[in-house]
Amino acid sequence: MMNKIASLPPVSEMMRESGLEPKKQFGQNFLFDLNLTGRIARSVPNIEKTTVVEIGPGPGGLTRALLMAGAKKVIAIEKDKTTNDILSRIVDASDGRLEIIFGDALRVNLNDIKEYAICANLPYNVGTELLIQWLHKIASGEKIKSLTLMFQREVAQRIVAKVGNEQYGRLSVLANLIADTKILFDVPNTAFVPRPKVQSAVVQIIPNAKKIKAIKDIKSLEKLTAKLFGQRRKMIRGIIKTDWEKFGLTGTERAEEISPEVFLKISSIIDVNLL
Ligand code: SAH
Protein backbone atom coordinates (compact mmCIF):
# COMPACT_ATOMS: atom_id res chain seq x y z
CA MET A 1 0.00 0.00 0.00
CA MET A 2 3.05 2.30 0.24
CA ASN A 3 3.39 1.93 -3.56
CA LYS A 4 0.64 4.40 -4.29
CA ILE A 5 2.56 7.04 -2.36
CA ALA A 6 5.86 6.04 -3.97
CA SER A 7 4.39 6.31 -7.45
CA LEU A 8 3.15 9.88 -7.05
CA PRO A 9 5.15 12.37 -9.12
CA PRO A 10 8.08 14.07 -7.31
CA VAL A 11 7.06 16.94 -5.01
CA SER A 12 8.71 19.55 -7.23
CA GLU A 13 6.73 18.29 -10.22
CA MET A 14 3.45 18.38 -8.32
CA MET A 15 4.23 21.96 -7.32
CA ARG A 16 4.85 22.92 -10.93
CA GLU A 17 1.63 21.23 -12.04
CA SER A 18 -0.48 23.05 -9.49
CA GLY A 19 1.39 26.36 -9.76
CA LEU A 20 2.33 26.39 -6.07
CA GLU A 21 5.17 28.75 -5.10
CA PRO A 22 6.80 29.03 -1.66
CA LYS A 23 5.40 31.95 0.32
CA LYS A 24 7.44 34.02 2.70
CA GLN A 25 4.58 35.06 4.97
CA PHE A 26 4.01 31.43 5.98
CA GLY A 27 7.69 30.78 6.66
CA GLN A 28 7.86 28.26 3.83
CA ASN A 29 11.14 26.45 3.18
CA PHE A 30 10.42 23.13 1.53
CA LEU A 31 12.29 19.83 1.53
CA PHE A 32 12.50 17.78 -1.66
CA ASP A 33 15.34 15.40 -0.83
CA LEU A 34 13.87 11.93 -0.25
CA ASN A 35 16.93 10.72 1.65
CA LEU A 36 16.54 13.54 4.12
CA THR A 37 12.75 13.36 4.58
CA GLY A 38 13.06 9.57 4.90
CA ARG A 39 15.72 9.93 7.55
CA ILE A 40 13.58 12.35 9.56
CA ALA A 41 10.48 10.14 9.28
CA ARG A 42 12.35 6.99 10.29
CA SER A 43 13.58 8.81 13.42
CA VAL A 44 10.04 8.87 14.83
CA PRO A 45 10.05 6.11 17.48
CA ASN A 46 7.63 3.23 16.83
CA ILE A 47 6.15 4.99 13.83
CA GLU A 48 4.14 1.98 12.67
CA LYS A 49 2.11 1.98 15.86
CA THR A 50 1.81 5.73 16.12
CA THR A 51 -0.46 8.56 15.07
CA VAL A 52 1.88 11.27 13.87
CA VAL A 53 0.85 14.92 13.91
CA GLU A 54 2.72 16.95 11.32
CA ILE A 55 2.68 20.75 11.45
CA GLY A 56 2.93 22.53 8.11
CA PRO A 57 2.97 19.74 5.49
CA GLY A 58 3.27 22.35 2.69
CA PRO A 59 3.55 20.41 -0.58
CA GLY A 60 3.89 17.20 1.42
CA GLY A 61 7.49 16.01 1.13
CA LEU A 62 7.82 15.02 4.77
CA THR A 63 4.19 13.86 4.86
CA ARG A 64 4.92 11.36 2.11
CA ALA A 65 8.03 10.18 3.92
CA LEU A 66 6.02 9.61 7.12
CA LEU A 67 3.49 7.53 5.17
CA MET A 68 6.28 5.63 3.40
CA ALA A 69 7.92 4.92 6.75
CA GLY A 70 4.69 3.17 7.73
CA ALA A 71 3.00 5.67 10.05
CA LYS A 72 -0.24 4.22 11.37
CA LYS A 73 -1.91 7.56 10.77
CA VAL A 74 -0.76 11.08 9.88
CA ILE A 75 -2.73 14.17 10.85
CA ALA A 76 -1.25 17.21 9.12
CA ILE A 77 -2.14 20.77 10.09
CA GLU A 78 -1.51 23.42 7.42
CA LYS A 79 -2.28 27.13 7.40
CA ASP A 80 -1.82 27.71 3.67
CA LYS A 81 -4.97 26.55 1.86
CA THR A 82 -3.33 26.80 -1.57
CA THR A 83 -1.56 23.50 -0.80
CA ASN A 84 -4.94 21.76 -0.94
CA ASP A 85 -4.62 20.46 -4.54
CA ILE A 86 -1.35 18.71 -3.86
CA LEU A 87 -2.24 17.46 -0.40
CA SER A 88 -5.55 16.00 -1.65
CA ARG A 89 -3.65 13.84 -4.10
CA ILE A 90 -1.56 12.48 -1.25
CA VAL A 91 -4.71 11.86 0.81
CA ASP A 92 -6.14 9.88 -2.13
CA ALA A 93 -3.02 7.73 -2.28
CA SER A 94 -2.85 7.17 1.46
CA ASP A 95 -5.49 4.46 1.97
CA GLY A 96 -7.14 6.45 4.71
CA ARG A 97 -3.94 7.05 6.65
CA LEU A 98 -3.70 10.79 6.00
CA GLU A 99 -5.98 13.52 7.30
CA ILE A 100 -5.41 17.21 6.59
CA ILE A 101 -6.65 19.95 8.88
CA PHE A 102 -6.47 23.48 7.46
CA GLY A 103 -5.87 25.88 10.30
CA ASP A 104 -3.32 27.52 12.56
CA ALA A 105 -1.31 24.96 14.52
CA LEU A 106 -1.08 27.44 17.40
CA ARG A 107 -4.86 27.20 17.80
CA VAL A 108 -5.80 23.66 16.79
CA ASN A 109 -6.85 21.48 19.71
CA LEU A 110 -5.69 17.88 19.62
CA ASN A 111 -7.14 16.78 22.96
CA ASP A 112 -9.27 14.16 21.22
CA ILE A 113 -6.30 12.12 20.09
CA LYS A 114 -5.37 9.72 22.83
CA GLU A 115 -1.68 9.53 22.12
CA TYR A 116 0.48 10.93 19.37
CA ALA A 117 3.95 11.81 18.15
CA ILE A 118 4.82 15.11 16.54
CA CYS A 119 7.09 15.37 13.52
CA ALA A 120 7.63 18.55 11.55
CA ASN A 121 9.86 20.75 9.51
CA LEU A 122 8.54 23.70 11.47
CA PRO A 123 7.87 27.15 10.12
CA TYR A 124 10.69 29.07 11.82
CA ASN A 125 8.54 32.04 12.70
CA VAL A 126 6.37 29.99 15.09
CA GLY A 127 8.65 27.06 15.98
CA THR A 128 9.69 28.15 19.45
CA GLU A 129 6.19 29.26 20.39
CA LEU A 130 4.77 25.91 19.30
CA LEU A 131 7.41 23.99 21.23
CA ILE A 132 6.69 25.94 24.43
CA GLN A 133 2.97 25.25 23.96
CA TRP A 134 3.64 21.52 23.54
CA LEU A 135 5.91 21.40 26.58
CA HIS A 136 3.14 22.98 28.67
CA LYS A 137 0.61 20.49 27.32
CA ILE A 138 2.93 17.60 28.15
CA ALA A 139 3.45 18.94 31.68
CA SER A 140 -0.32 19.07 32.13
CA GLY A 141 -0.81 15.46 31.05
CA GLU A 142 -1.32 15.48 27.27
CA LYS A 143 0.09 12.27 25.82
CA ILE A 144 2.74 13.32 23.33
CA LYS A 145 5.13 10.39 23.07
CA SER A 146 7.88 12.04 21.07
CA LEU A 147 8.69 15.18 19.11
CA THR A 148 11.02 15.01 16.10
CA LEU A 149 11.46 18.56 14.89
CA MET A 150 13.51 20.65 12.49
CA PHE A 151 14.67 23.94 13.99
CA GLN A 152 17.19 26.52 13.00
CA ARG A 153 20.45 25.28 14.49
CA GLU A 154 20.78 28.01 17.07
CA VAL A 155 17.34 27.17 18.51
CA ALA A 156 18.17 23.44 18.43
CA GLN A 157 21.29 24.18 20.49
CA ARG A 158 19.27 26.22 22.99
CA ILE A 159 16.82 23.35 23.45
CA VAL A 160 19.46 20.75 24.28
CA ALA A 161 21.93 23.05 26.12
CA LYS A 162 23.20 21.93 29.50
CA VAL A 163 24.00 24.27 32.39
CA GLY A 164 27.24 26.10 31.68
CA ASN A 165 26.83 26.04 27.89
CA GLU A 166 26.73 29.35 26.12
CA GLN A 167 23.26 28.66 24.69
CA TYR A 168 21.77 27.63 28.04
CA GLY A 169 18.59 29.58 28.84
CA ARG A 170 14.88 29.45 29.68
CA LEU A 171 14.05 27.08 26.84
CA SER A 172 16.79 24.63 27.94
CA VAL A 173 15.52 24.62 31.52
CA LEU A 174 11.90 24.04 30.52
CA ALA A 175 12.64 21.39 27.88
CA ASN A 176 15.06 19.42 30.01
CA LEU A 177 12.85 19.41 33.10
CA ILE A 178 10.08 17.79 31.05
CA ALA A 179 11.88 15.66 28.50
CA ASP A 180 15.11 14.07 27.33
CA THR A 181 16.46 16.08 24.43
CA LYS A 182 19.09 15.55 21.78
CA ILE A 183 20.17 16.80 18.38
CA LEU A 184 19.84 13.91 15.90
CA PHE A 185 21.66 15.51 12.97
CA ASP A 186 22.48 18.81 11.30
CA VAL A 187 20.83 19.86 8.05
CA PRO A 188 22.56 22.34 5.72
CA ASN A 189 20.56 25.30 4.36
CA THR A 190 21.12 23.91 0.85
CA ALA A 191 18.52 21.20 1.61
CA PHE A 192 15.66 23.74 1.51
CA VAL A 193 13.80 25.51 -1.27
CA PRO A 194 14.04 28.45 -1.02
CA ARG A 195 17.36 28.33 0.81
CA PRO A 196 17.18 30.05 4.23
CA LYS A 197 20.12 32.10 5.55
CA VAL A 198 20.48 29.95 8.66
CA GLN A 199 21.56 26.34 9.17
CA SER A 200 19.17 23.79 10.68
CA ALA A 201 19.15 20.67 12.85
CA VAL A 202 16.68 17.94 13.73
CA VAL A 203 15.97 17.66 17.44
CA GLN A 204 14.35 14.78 19.25
CA ILE A 205 12.45 15.42 22.45
CA ILE A 206 11.14 12.47 24.45
CA PRO A 207 8.84 13.37 27.36
CA ASN A 208 10.04 11.74 30.56
CA ALA A 209 7.27 10.69 32.97
CA LYS A 210 9.55 10.74 35.99
CA LYS A 211 10.71 14.28 35.31
CA ILE A 212 7.14 15.46 34.64
CA LYS A 213 5.96 14.06 37.98
CA ALA A 214 8.50 16.19 39.82
CA ILE A 215 7.07 19.43 38.41
CA LYS A 216 4.43 20.80 40.74
CA ASP A 217 3.87 24.28 39.40
CA ILE A 218 5.13 25.05 35.94
CA LYS A 219 3.90 28.66 36.11
CA SER A 220 6.16 29.55 39.01
CA LEU A 221 9.04 27.76 37.32
CA GLU A 222 8.51 29.91 34.23
CA LYS A 223 8.23 33.10 36.26
CA LEU A 224 11.45 32.29 38.06
CA THR A 225 13.45 31.52 34.90
CA ALA A 226 12.03 34.63 33.19
CA LYS A 227 13.09 36.75 36.15
CA LEU A 228 16.62 35.35 36.49
CA PHE A 229 17.44 34.98 32.79
CA GLY A 230 15.87 38.40 32.18
CA GLN A 231 18.95 39.85 33.84
CA ARG A 232 21.43 37.16 32.96
CA ARG A 233 24.52 39.29 33.67
CA LYS A 234 23.43 40.01 37.21
CA MET A 235 24.19 37.89 40.28
CA ILE A 236 21.06 36.18 41.55
CA ARG A 237 21.32 37.82 44.97
CA GLY A 238 20.96 41.17 43.25
CA ILE A 239 17.66 40.03 41.72
CA ILE A 240 16.02 38.04 44.51
CA LYS A 241 16.64 38.44 48.22
CA THR A 242 16.50 35.04 49.86
CA ASP A 243 18.64 32.57 51.73
CA TRP A 244 20.46 31.14 48.70
CA GLU A 245 22.42 28.72 50.87
CA LYS A 246 19.23 26.68 51.25
CA PHE A 247 19.68 25.75 47.61
CA GLY A 248 23.40 25.07 47.85
CA LEU A 249 24.17 28.45 46.26
CA THR A 250 26.05 31.51 47.51
CA GLY A 251 23.93 34.11 45.71
CA THR A 252 26.82 35.28 43.57
CA GLU A 253 25.87 32.90 40.74
CA ARG A 254 24.26 34.01 37.50
CA ALA A 255 21.22 32.29 35.95
CA GLU A 256 23.34 30.43 33.42
CA GLU A 257 25.12 28.60 36.27
CA ILE A 258 21.93 27.19 37.82
CA SER A 259 20.91 23.71 36.70
CA PRO A 260 17.32 22.85 35.70
CA GLU A 261 16.94 20.73 38.86
CA VAL A 262 17.97 23.63 41.09
CA PHE A 263 15.59 25.98 39.25
CA LEU A 264 12.83 23.49 39.98
CA LYS A 265 13.75 23.33 43.64
CA ILE A 266 13.89 27.11 44.01
CA SER A 267 10.53 27.53 42.28
CA SER A 268 8.91 25.02 44.61
CA ILE A 269 10.13 26.78 47.74
CA ILE A 270 10.17 30.51 46.98
CA ASP A 271 6.76 32.10 46.45
CA VAL A 272 7.43 33.35 42.95
CA ASN A 273 4.22 35.39 42.94
CA LEU A 274 5.77 37.72 45.48
CA LEU A 275 8.80 38.47 43.30
N1 SAH B 1 6.81 20.22 5.73
C1 SAH B 1 7.06 20.88 4.48
C2 SAH B 1 6.93 22.40 4.57
C3 SAH B 1 7.77 23.08 5.62
S1 SAH B 1 7.67 24.85 5.53
C4 SAH B 1 8.44 20.49 3.97
O1 SAH B 1 9.24 20.05 4.79
O2 SAH B 1 8.70 20.64 2.80
C5 SAH B 1 6.60 25.21 6.87
C6 SAH B 1 5.13 24.95 6.58
O3 SAH B 1 4.36 25.34 7.72
C7 SAH B 1 4.56 25.72 5.42
O4 SAH B 1 3.82 24.85 4.60
C8 SAH B 1 3.64 26.77 6.04
O5 SAH B 1 2.55 27.15 5.23
C9 SAH B 1 3.19 26.06 7.29
N2 SAH B 1 2.78 26.94 8.41
C10 SAH B 1 3.28 28.17 8.75
N3 SAH B 1 2.69 28.64 9.85
C11 SAH B 1 1.78 27.71 10.24
C12 SAH B 1 0.86 27.62 11.32
N4 SAH B 1 0.74 28.60 12.23
N5 SAH B 1 0.09 26.51 11.41
C13 SAH B 1 0.20 25.51 10.49
N6 SAH B 1 1.05 25.55 9.45
C14 SAH B 1 1.83 26.62 9.32
Side-chain angles (χ1 to χ4, degrees):
M1 71 175 172
M2 318 274 173
N3 290 345
K4 278 201 239 168
I5 297 291
S7 47
L8 286 168
V11 177
S12 53
E13 197 177 313
M14 284 171 82
M15 281 185 64
R16 231 174 293 122
E17 282 171 17
S18 74
L20 188 77
E21 303 261 1
K23 297 178 197 64
K24 219 176 175 159
Q25 81 262 32
F26 291 119
Q28 295 181 339
N29 298 96
F30 300 142
L31 295 174
F32 296 144
D33 177 352
L34 296 179
N35 285 321
L36 177 59
T37 50
R39 192 169 171 205
I40 299 169
R42 287 190 302 273
S43 304
V44 176
N46 271 317
I47 189 162
E48 290 176 15
K49 298 196 180 89
T50 307
T51 296
V52 183
V53 171
E54 188 198 357
I55 309 305
L62 182 58
T63 320
R64 288 161 64 155
L66 290 165
L67 292 165
M68 295 279 289
K72 190 171 112 191
K73 169 113 207 195
V74 177
I75 299 174
I77 304 169
E78 174 57 64
K79 200 169 170 184
D80 177 6
K81 292 204 178 78
T82 65
T83 58
N84 183 48
D85 279 359
I86 296 182
L87 292 175
S88 310
R89 288 176 71 183
I90 307 174
V91 170
D92 291 343
S94 76
D95 292 300
R97 286 190 298 143
L98 174 62
E99 184 187 326
I100 310 287
I101 299 173
F102 284 103
D104 185 341
L106 287 165
R107 280 163 235 285
V108 169
N109 194 336
L110 297 168
N111 282 344
D112 293 349
I113 316 172
K114 207 173 89 220
E115 227 177 46
Y116 57 98
I118 298 173
C119 182
N121 169 21
L122 287 178
Y124 290 142
N125 46 359
V126 290
T128 318
E129 193 178 345
L130 274 168
L131 176 61
I132 292 172
Q133 239 191 42
W134 289 324
L135 290 169
H136 280 259
K137 285 185 180 171
I138 293 165
S140 59
E142 190 152 327
K143 288 273 177 301
I144 301 176
K145 297 208 300 189
S146 65
L147 303 93
T148 307
L149 302 169
M150 179 89 74
F151 282 102
Q152 65 185 80
R153 201 169 293 168
E154 177 245 322
V155 176
Q157 285 165 343
R158 273 168 45 207
I159 295 166
V160 305
K162 301 279 180 287
V163 59
N165 290 162
E166 199 186 324
Q167 295 89 350
Y168 184 68
R170 287 173 68 184
L171 191 57
S172 336
V173 174
L174 183 67
N176 292 292
L177 279 176
I178 290 174
D180 302 323
T181 64
K182 67 175 174 205
I183 292 183
L184 293 183
F185 50 88
D186 287 337
V187 179
N189 62 344
T190 49
F192 300 86
V193 178
R195 192 182 293 187
K197 286 205 187 74
V198 294
Q199 303 295 327
S200 295
V202 176
V203 179
Q204 189 147 65
I205 300 170
I206 310 280
N208 179 324
K210 221 166 125 189
K211 290 185 180 177
I212 296 163
K213 229 177 125 191
I215 302 176
K216 300 286 178 262
D217 182 355
I218 195 160
K219 290 236 167 69
S220 28
L221 176 71
E222 292 256 82
K223 271 193 194 149
L224 179 71
T225 56
K227 180 111 185 153
L228 296 186
F229 279 108
Q231 294 171 274
R232 50 158 73 229
R233 303 263 149 265
K234 251 188 166 172
M235 290 182 204
I236 52 175
R237 69 175 181 206
I239 307 172
I240 300 173
K241 305 269 167 274
T242 185
D243 173 15
W244 287 108
E245 280 173 20
K246 267 199 312 238
F247 308 110
L249 301 167
T250 62
T252 57
E253 296 84 357
R254 293 174 173 83
E256 66 208 23
E257 298 168 76
I258 301 174
S259 70
E261 295 70 29
V262 174
F263 268 112
L264 185 62
K265 197 167 159 199
I266 300 169
S267 75
S268 68
I269 294 177
I270 293 186
D271 187 346
V272 185
N273 293 312
L274 298 179
L275 295 181

